[in-house]
Amino acid sequence: MLAAAPDFTKARIIVIGDVMLDRYWSGQAARISPEAPVPVVRVKAIEDRVGGAGNVALNIAKLGGKVTLLGVVGDDAEGEILRRLLEAEGVNCDFVVEREIRSICKLRVMAQHQQLIRIDFEETSLQFDSSALLARLVEHLSKNNTVVFSDYGKGTLADVATYIIKAKQAGIKVLVDPKGVDYQRYTQADLITPNLSELQAVVGVSEHEDDLIERGRALLKRYQIPTLLLTRGEAGMTLIQDDQVHSLPAQAKDVFDVTGAGDTVIAVMALGVALDMALYDAMYLANLAGGIVVGKLGTSTVSMQELTRAMHGDRDSRYGIVSEDELAQILAGAKAHDERIIMTNGCFDLLHAGHVTYLQQAKALGDRLVVAVNSDASVRRLKGESRPINGLQERMTVLAALAYVDWVVSFEEETPERLYCRLLPDVIVKGGDYSSEQVAGGECVIRAGGEVKILQFVDGQSTTAMIKKARGQE
């Protein structure tokens, strides 16, 4: 079992496949139309989300992986919206743009969180310059070690066999989320992720588990594919290989919407493969991620904070590592209950006794303690290229394990001023020889009625001293 979430920032992945826009019109349905026996929806909100292969790429980016998305879009507003949404989250988009086609868009009309109808805007058979897509794939292969083929049967991967050959020739690991019954197209892929109905459409319905496993193995042997990850809804998932089988039960407590769950599963598997993780460990994380995403409405992603909490068996608890947006909501609730919020910040690269004493003293000043942690990039800017010793996820995990730390959040800037000014804790705590005016964010907090407290560090305790001692420099 994994003790901590991996550092996915080292993963370099290409996603190629059917890119589509998921559009939601949401409102209230309080009456039936006089024109036909259908509900009338008063639309209150319109939201665009990324679907298909784009959702796979978005899941990878949300978990910290570096991802390039290849696909086909029209020269239209929907194509531009897709690019904008993806690039805002750090996805590198390299699309083939075709003037003669329209970008795929799936419109869902929602009322009281229920889907009433889905309307698809798409070409019945996508016609585009496949050589241009192949050229883009070849261009990016040398900079990545894993490629995901996300096949929704819309035509982008009509020539997927050629693409797989190119990837394998470049020594790239290949994962496929398949579609249809012609699996010969996926020959020599390293891993495929059909769901149960998709697999049964190819190998037939099995009455017994052993028969299903053997049919899956026969499929793998026929098409020279080492691994099959079978997703089974409420029955969990099963990893099938020639010499072993592993199964995990489903993790979802409440299922609101399975839209895009398969995208999340293959995204996490790809991250694991890119880091050379054991496939069982990657499946464990993918199973947790799938359980999280089906508890959300609509096409959704999973954050590293959510995945970390799920790993510790407490997905519903909002303590521990949280995102900035989650923390803002949590603190609003805590303040409504008159809880006194204390915040402090730092790199916390190598946690030592001085840190522990300091954090204990900080928690004693109020009801809840929030620790803001510098990202790896901001630590490098402050401390030099040799730091941090421990990555962000490891540093946050250790801090979150301390009994007197309620929440841990990260920030990208060199100082937490923006974060403090947004969250406005009751007290900012800083260690060392500072005045209140010198503390980043202190002015905002004081203006809002809060205060700044300066605590003294424990003498003789510092991360720099620990590093020097470990290197024999003392």
Side-chain angles (χ1 to χ4, degrees), residues 31-140:
R31 63 190 181 95
I32 300 299
S33 171
E35 303 166 0
V38 295
V40 175
V41 179
R42 294 189 63 186
V43 175
K44 298 291 187 179
I46 297 175
E47 182 182 8
D48 290 328
R49 300 186 188 182
V50 179
N55 191 40
V56 178
L58 196 58
N59 270 274
I60 292 170
K62 286 284 192 179
L63 290 171
K66 301 298 185 289
V67 58
T68 296
L69 175 62
L70 309 180
V72 183
V73 297
D75 186 13
D76 51 27
E78 287 77 13
E80 283 301 313
I81 291 171
L82 281 166
R83 184 186 297 276
R84 174 174 52 80
L85 292 174
L86 288 158
E87 290 183 345
E89 298 295 340
V91 177
N92 176 32
C93 299
D94 194 359
F95 295 150
V96 175
V97 180
E98 292 282 348
R99 293 181 178 276
E100 301 304 319
I101 68 170
R102 68 178 303 166
S103 300
I104 299 171
C105 179
K106 297 181 181 298
L107 170 62
R108 296 170 175 88
V109 180
M110 314 286 291
Q112 287 85 25
H113 302 297
Q114 296 292 321
Q115 186 177 149
L116 299 184
I117 189 171
R118 193 182 89 181
I119 305 166
D120 290 358
F121 302 89
E122 64 182 50
E123 305 289 338
T124 55
S125 180
L126 196 63
Q127 301 293 324
F128 68 98
D129 184 0
S130 60
S131 63
L133 189 59
L134 177 61
R136 283 165 167 76
L137 175 63
V138 171
E139 177 187 348
H140 291 286

Side-chain angles (χ1 to χ4, degrees), residues 407-422:
W407 299 291
V408 183
V409 67
S410 64
F411 62 94
E412 292 291 335
E413 303 89 346
E414 292 180 15
T415 79
E417 181 173 6
R418 178 196 58 78
L419 184 65
Y420 282 145
C421 290
R422 177 186 181 187

Side-chain angles (χ1 to χ4, degrees), residues 276-299:
D276 291 323
M277 289 175 58
L279 288 178
Y280 177 82
D281 288 339
M283 176 179 71
Y284 163 69
L285 293 176
N287 193 43
L288 290 177
I292 295 167
V293 80
V294 298
K296 302 180 180 183
L297 188 64
T299 309

Side-chain angles (χ1 to χ4, degrees), residues 127-254:
Q127 301 293 324
F128 68 98
D129 184 0
S130 60
S131 63
L133 189 59
L134 177 61
R136 283 165 167 76
L137 175 63
V138 171
E139 177 187 348
H140 291 286
L141 286 175
S142 63
K143 295 171 283 187
N144 296 273
N145 62 7
T146 305
V147 60
V148 176
F149 292 95
S150 178
D151 195 349
Y152 273 76
K154 306 303 180 184
T156 304
L157 296 180
D159 199 19
V160 66
T162 300
Y163 304 155
I164 291 175
I165 290 172
K166 287 292 185 183
K168 297 299 291 183
Q169 288 174 343
I172 302 296
K173 292 288 187 180
V174 172
L175 289 78
V176 178
D177 190 358
K179 194 73 172 179
V181 296
D182 180 15
Y183 277 33
Q184 184 173 358
R185 304 186 313 133
Y186 309 128
T187 296
Q188 295 188 6
D190 293 285
L191 184 147
I192 55 175
T193 62
N195 61 37
L196 183 59
S197 62
E198 289 170 339
L199 181 63
Q200 288 177 335
V202 179
V203 303
V205 177
S206 300
E207 294 185 5
H208 305 288
E209 181 73 6
D210 289 345
D211 183 45
L212 176 65
I213 300 302
E214 288 310 308
R215 292 188 186 203
R217 282 175 166 162
L219 179 73
L220 295 178
K221 184 177 181 180
R222 186 180 313 134
Y223 299 122
Q224 304 169 56
I225 301 171
T227 306
L228 186 155
L229 178 65
L230 177 62
T231 56
R232 312 176 73 165
E234 66 277 3
M237 56 180 63
T238 301
L239 191 72
I240 302 173
Q241 296 176 301
D242 180 57
D243 57 346
Q244 57 185 330
V245 174
H246 299 286
S247 293
L248 288 172
Q251 293 295 306
K253 293 183 179 180
D254 298 297

Side-chain angles (χ1 to χ4, degrees), residues 388-401:
I389 302 298
N390 292 312
L392 175 63
Q393 199 60 40
E394 288 85 355
R395 291 182 282 128
M396 295 177 75
T397 298
V398 171
L399 286 164

Side-chain angles (χ1 to χ4, degrees), residues 184-466:
Q184 184 173 358
R185 304 186 313 133
Y186 309 128
T187 296
Q188 295 188 6
D190 293 285
L191 184 147
I192 55 175
T193 62
N195 61 37
L196 183 59
S197 62
E198 289 170 339
L199 181 63
Q200 288 177 335
V202 179
V203 303
V205 177
S206 300
E207 294 185 5
H208 305 288
E209 181 73 6
D210 289 345
D211 183 45
L212 176 65
I213 300 302
E214 288 310 308
R215 292 188 186 203
R217 282 175 166 162
L219 179 73
L220 295 178
K221 184 177 181 180
R222 186 180 313 134
Y223 299 122
Q224 304 169 56
I225 301 171
T227 306
L228 186 155
L229 178 65
L230 177 62
T231 56
R232 312 176 73 165
E234 66 277 3
M237 56 180 63
T238 301
L239 191 72
I240 302 173
Q241 296 176 301
D242 180 57
D243 57 346
Q244 57 185 330
V245 174
H246 299 286
S247 293
L248 288 172
Q251 293 295 306
K253 293 183 179 180
D254 298 297
V255 178
F256 290 102
D257 195 339
V258 299
T259 304
D263 299 334
T264 299
V265 167
I266 198 169
V268 176
M269 287 300 298
L271 285 163
V273 169
L275 296 185
D276 291 323
M277 289 175 58
L279 288 178
Y280 177 82
D281 288 339
M283 176 179 71
Y284 163 69
L285 293 176
N287 193 43
L288 290 177
I292 295 167
V293 80
V294 298
K296 302 180 180 183
L297 188 64
T299 309
S300 301
T301 60
V302 174
S303 70
M304 182 58 80
Q305 291 83 6
E306 290 171 320
L307 188 59
T308 300
R309 289 203 299 276
M311 287 179 65
H312 290 89
D314 199 11
R315 183 172 62 249
D316 292 332
S317 172
R318 300 186 80 185
Y319 289 89
I321 301 172
V322 294
S323 69
E324 182 179 327
D325 288 342
E326 285 179 310
L327 184 59
Q329 295 178 2
I330 291 168
L331 294 190
K335 290 177 180 179
H337 289 88
D338 294 324
E339 293 181 330
R340 184 172 168 84
I341 307 300
I342 313 300
M343 280 193 72
T344 189
N345 66 279
C347 300
F348 298 98
D349 197 357
L350 295 177
L351 198 68
H352 52 68
H355 288 137
V356 172
T357 301
Y358 167 75
L359 293 172
Q360 285 177 321
Q361 293 173 350
K363 178 61 180 283
L365 297 172
D367 300 300
R368 302 295 182 189
L369 175 60
V370 181
V371 181
V373 184
N374 291 77
S375 70
D376 291 345
S378 66
V379 173
R380 282 192 292 271
R381 291 194 297 269
L382 290 168
K383 306 287 188 179
E385 289 300 316
S386 64
R387 303 280 297 276
I389 302 298
N390 292 312
L392 175 63
Q393 199 60 40
E394 288 85 355
R395 291 182 282 128
M396 295 177 75
T397 298
V398 171
L399 286 164
L402 297 177
Y404 31 84
V405 174
D406 292 286
W407 299 291
V408 183
V409 67
S410 64
F411 62 94
E412 292 291 335
E413 303 89 346
E414 292 180 15
T415 79
E417 181 173 6
R418 178 196 58 78
L419 184 65
Y420 282 145
C421 290
R422 177 186 181 187
L423 300 177
L424 296 176
D426 296 294
V427 182
I428 293 178
V429 174
K430 191 67 179 175
D433 297 324
Y434 289 91
S435 66
S436 298
E437 294 75 18
Q438 292 174 314
V439 174
E443 183 180 349
C444 287
V445 170
I446 292 171
R447 191 164 54 241
E451 58 182 319
V452 175
K453 293 279 190 180
I454 307 299
L455 301 180
Q456 294 302 310
F457 285 136
V458 176
D459 290 339
Q461 296 288 338
S462 77
T463 299
T464 301
M466 292 176 69

